[in-house]
Amino acid sequence: MLLLLIYLTACGRGEQAVGVASAPAPRAEAMLARDGAPTDFSATTTASDSALPQYLAERQYWVMELPESGIEARWQAHVALCRNGCEVLQAAIANSAQAPVSASLQLRVARAHAAALLKSMSSPEVKERRIEREDKTLQVVDVEARLKNLGELRDRLRKLLESRPGALKDVLDTERELARVQGDLDAMAAQRKALANETEKILLNVEYRPEASITQTGALQPLAEVFGNAGRALAESMAEALMFIIRILPWLFIVLPIVWGGWKLVKRLFAWRRGA
């Protein structure tokens, strides 16, 4: 096992030395092309940092207010707009007699198609917009570095198995190490894919609300609330009265016979005194 570790270390140093001597430095233009951030989102950086790619996760939150009768049609139209480079993550609508119609939509759209989609969905009914951006550059750079190192280690292990079989114990140890490295490599690849899904696409959350009526926003709002709660108040009062009757009903079967018997007894006493 000691010979295996020495060989892997020597191979790693040799490949790193070759890579430093032969690999050309990446051009700044190519690295900047990988930046998934919008062109209008910029910050002051130094000359050395400007050549580094920047990975931003962007999330947008919209609130639309429109007539209750048009919410479902607008919601369906927006779902139909999600086609090329777009995926619907969540779409829900609530339509019941007890509550006003409301809907929600969550989309993830590639940045190349985001401008056209957002322009198509934008309208005067959008009353609120909120944009959140999170810098994922450090996470992406770290994962890519680990992917590169694990890939090189995997390749060295494969070459070692092909060129130096060695003893059976060393071969088994090398295969176990290769399986472990491959598992870590797959996990890192999945993490990099998830980061790419966040930085190369925009997450859009849209909430559809019915627009407020004059009774909900003006001076008549207190009256509207009173009339709206009148039916519930009446039902609650009737429920309390019915509950009271249900609670005293068992006592009536006990109290009424006693009262009736006492009344009969009093009448007999008066009748006996008169006869005497």
Side-chain angles (χ1 to χ4, degrees):
M1 190 64 185
L2 180 59
L3 294 176
L4 172 63
L5 295 176
I6 294 173
Y7 179 80
L8 289 176
T9 303
C11 292
R13 291 178 179 175
E15 291 188 2
Q16 290 176 1
V18 173
V20 171
S22 59
R27 295 181 58 189
E29 294 82 3
M31 297 181 72
L32 287 173
R34 297 167 56 191
D35 186 4
T39 56
D40 59 343
F41 190 82
S42 59
T44 303
T45 58
T46 61
S48 59
D49 293 338
S50 62
L52 296 176
Q54 191 177 25
Y55 299 88
L56 299 174
E58 181 175 331
R59 294 176 291 272
Q60 296 194 18
Y61 301 88
W62 292 11
V63 175
M64 301 189 69
E65 293 183 359
L66 56 159
E68 186 175 353
S69 59
I71 289 181
E72 185 172 358
R74 184 69 60 86
W75 173 76
Q76 291 178 351
H78 288 173
V79 172
L81 287 174
C82 187
R83 296 175 183 173
N84 297 329
C86 178
E87 54 183 327
V88 178
L89 301 181
Q90 184 264 342
I93 186 169
N95 190 354
S96 62
Q98 291 77 20
V101 179
S102 62
S104 61
L105 184 63
Q106 187 178 66
L107 306 176
R108 180 177 282 131
V109 55
R111 291 182 182 271
H113 305 278
L117 178 65
L118 297 180
K119 184 178 179 180
S120 300
M121 295 178 61
S122 182
S123 65
E125 287 85 1
V126 180
K127 303 301 181 181
E128 297 180 21
R129 296 176 191 260
R130 190 172 82 254
I131 299 176
E132 297 179 356
R133 294 189 178 111
E134 183 180 359
D135 193 354
K136 298 280 187 177
T137 303
L138 293 179
Q139 298 181 33
V140 172
V141 171
D142 179 66
V143 171
E144 287 184 346
R146 293 187 181 186
L147 279 172
K148 180 181 178 182
N149 294 334
L150 288 173
E152 292 175 354
L153 180 57
R154 179 197 59 187
D155 295 339
R156 291 199 298 270
L157 288 172
R158 287 177 176 175
K159 291 179 181 178
L160 182 60
L161 284 175
E162 294 174 358
S163 60
R164 294 173 63 92
L168 179 60
K169 182 178 181 302
D170 294 338
V171 173
L172 294 177
D173 290 341
T174 305
E175 288 181 348
R176 280 194 292 268
E177 184 67 13
L178 179 60
R180 184 191 67 80
V181 171
Q182 185 62 50
D184 294 343
L185 189 61
D186 294 340
M188 283 293 165
Q191 187 176 350
R192 180 65 185 92
K193 185 177 180 181
L195 287 171
N197 215 26
E198 294 182 14
T199 58
E200 297 175 6
K201 297 180 180 181
I202 294 177
L203 183 65
L204 176 62
N205 296 274
V206 185
E207 183 179 354
Y208 305 82
R209 299 176 183 174
E211 60 183 4
S213 62
I214 187 172
T215 58
Q216 293 175 323
T217 58
L220 299 179
Q221 182 178 358
L223 291 176
E225 292 178 355
V226 170
F227 284 109
N229 296 328
R232 182 176 180 84
L234 179 61
E236 290 179 352
S237 299
M238 295 179 63
E240 292 176 359
L242 182 60
M243 183 60 67
F244 175 76
I245 294 174
I246 293 174
R247 287 176 178 174
I248 68 172
L249 189 61
W251 295 97
L252 294 178
F253 292 100
I254 299 175
V255 174
L256 287 178
I258 295 176
V259 173
W260 182 79
W263 177 250
K264 287 291 186 182
L265 180 61
V266 170
K267 288 179 67 177
R268 288 181 181 180
L269 288 175
F270 276 109
W272 178 74
R273 286 184 179 181
R274 288 176 182 178

